[in-house]
Amino acid sequence: MSNILLGDDDEELTQLLQEYLHNHGVRCDCVHDGEAVIERLRTMMQDNSPYDLLVLDIMMPKIDGLSVLRQLPAISDIPVIMLTAKGEEIDRIIGLELGADDYITKPCNPRELLARINAVIKRTSIAAHIVEQLPLPSSRLYLDQQQRLCQIDDVELQLTGTEFDLLLALLRQKGEVVSKSWLSQHVLQRELQPFDRSLDVHVSRLRKKLQPFHDEPIKAIRGKGYQLVL
């Protein structure tokens, strides 16, 4: 059974989601403000029983969700799905830029949330049990899939889990144009949806981290997809 933390100040909603998720094989602990999210994550890390995933509402008391995301790298590398208000695209983009793996708008369909949770956990679980030949070198770029390590010219890059998986997918097809639909399916573990900018934001973040080593490390081929040239 997967074990997740849900941070949302709507106690009635969290109770409903908690019951639904539990009935579908996901154990869910709930807290209702940003400070409680950080405290619970730290406690679980100290007890060596980290959560598999964090579902995080943007609008919360004490510390809002975006501020929690900013503090998260110092606490845990847990994958994150954001809960955002319908129409608040800027919050979604900022959240993804801060390292969130995915988002879902409120009010959310519990079935869709469950699908997103399972997709992110599946992706991170597969990534943690790679059985391919390690490491994966490519001229200046070096990826160690077992340790989730990325180096360029012997300089280590700090990548989120999604960024690492995205770079790995592009590296496997280096020089070829990889379609957005394929990347969404194999990296985000879901079909590409119209007007969904999640993949573009993840690529943009990854490109910025690679740019100190190459002016245009990932090319965007209009109407086709992305191409790794580093």
Side-chain angles (χ1 to χ4, degrees):
M1 178 177 282
S2 301
N3 187 24
I4 75 166
L5 178 63
L6 171 59
D8 192 306
D9 62 343
D10 187 334
E11 297 190 22
E12 183 177 353
L13 173 64
T14 55
Q15 183 177 353
L16 292 172
L17 291 177
Q18 185 180 44
E19 293 175 358
Y20 180 86
L21 293 172
H22 182 80
N23 290 335
H24 290 80
V26 178
R27 182 178 180 273
C28 177
D29 291 339
C30 301
V31 291
H32 305 295
D33 64 73
E35 286 185 358
V37 171
I38 292 173
E39 182 180 348
R40 181 65 65 87
L41 288 175
R42 283 177 172 157
T43 299
M44 297 299 282
M45 290 296 292
Q46 291 170 357
D47 293 342
N48 198 29
S49 54
Y51 290 104
D52 298 306
L53 182 139
L54 169 64
V55 178
L56 182 65
D57 187 23
I58 294 297
M59 300 301 294
M60 285 192 299
K62 297 186 179 179
I63 302 178
D64 64 80
L66 294 179
S67 297
V68 171
L69 281 173
R70 291 186 179 94
Q71 298 183 42
L72 205 54
I75 302 169
S76 171
D77 59 357
I78 186 171
V80 179
I81 296 176
M82 299 179 302
L83 294 175
T84 65
K86 186 176 182 179
E88 295 298 327
E89 183 179 13
I90 187 63
D91 284 343
R92 294 195 290 272
I93 292 174
I94 293 173
L96 292 169
E97 289 177 343
L98 290 173
D101 294 83
D102 204 350
Y103 71 85
I104 187 169
T105 57
K106 296 173 66 176
C108 63
N109 184 311
R111 184 175 180 179
E112 182 181 0
L113 177 60
L114 175 65
R116 297 289 181 97
I117 290 170
N118 287 337
V120 173
I121 291 177
K122 177 183 177 182
R123 175 181 59 75
T124 54
S125 177
I126 290 173
H129 296 88
I130 293 291
V131 295
E132 298 177 12
Q133 182 179 359
L134 303 173
L136 184 62
S138 174
S139 61
R140 301 167 62 194
L141 180 61
Y142 174 98
L143 291 186
D144 187 320
Q145 299 165 74
Q146 191 171 52
Q147 299 184 52
R148 308 286 285 173
L149 172 69
C150 174
Q151 292 180 331
I152 301 181
D153 299 340
D154 297 323
V155 177
E156 183 175 351
L157 271 65
Q158 298 299 319
L159 304 181
T160 66
T162 300
E163 290 164 0
F164 186 95
D165 293 335
L166 179 59
L167 180 57
L168 178 61
L170 291 170
L171 180 58
R172 285 175 174 153
Q173 302 182 62
K174 185 180 178 183
E176 300 179 13
V177 179
V178 187
S179 71
K180 290 184 178 182
S181 60
W182 189 93
L183 287 170
S184 183
Q185 182 69 42
H186 290 81
V187 176
L188 302 183
Q189 297 292 318
R190 57 183 171 84
E191 298 290 338
L192 184 66
Q193 300 294 322
F195 311 112
D196 185 348
R197 297 185 59 192
S198 301
L199 180 65
D200 296 328
V201 174
H202 288 305
V203 171
S204 177
R205 278 179 50 88
L206 177 59
R207 184 187 287 119
K208 288 179 182 178
K209 293 182 179 182
L210 297 176
Q211 276 177 340
F213 306 93
H214 194 286
D215 290 340
E216 192 178 12
I218 301 174
K219 288 185 177 180
I221 310 301
R222 189 175 182 84
K224 294 185 177 181
Y226 293 104
Q227 179 185 35
L228 180 68
V229 298
L230 179 65

